[in-house]
Amino acid sequence: MRVTLEAARRNAGFSQKEAAKELNISRDSLRFYEQYKKSPRIDLAIKMAQLYRCTLGDIIFLKENIV
């Protein structure tokens, strides 16, 4: 099942602040990714998937892919 970036973070038990710290990005950057205002680089997307304990294919990174 595919989930939004925000849902993946929440399902993994992280707040935005905690996840941003673990990913070495600002909370604002994470918020922009979660609101689909910008897309993460592939290396960051991989780190997100690892942190959230899921695969890249499980996470929706583009607004166009939300059903």
Side-chain angles (χ1 to χ4, degrees):
M1 180 172 79
R2 300 190 72 203
V3 296
T4 64
L5 192 51
E6 179 181 2
R9 173 182 54 78
R10 288 179 182 260
N11 290 344
F14 289 97
S15 68
Q16 271 189 342
K17 183 178 179 180
E18 293 166 335
K21 183 177 180 181
E22 290 291 323
L23 295 166
N24 293 316
I25 61 174
S26 70
R27 186 171 174 239
D28 285 339
S29 290
L30 182 57
R31 183 173 46 87
F32 286 148
Y33 297 136
E34 289 184 356
Q35 293 175 347
Y36 302 101
K37 292 184 178 179
K38 63 182 187 175
S39 298
R41 300 176 319 273
I42 188 65
D43 60 322
L44 180 56
I46 291 168
K47 286 181 185 178
M48 288 173 166
Q50 290 171 339
L51 181 63
Y52 301 157
R53 298 180 302 275
C54 56
T55 68
L56 285 175
D58 293 335
I59 302 174
I60 299 169
F61 288 98
L62 301 172
K63 188 175 186 175
E64 296 81 32
N65 293 337
I66 298 174
V67 178

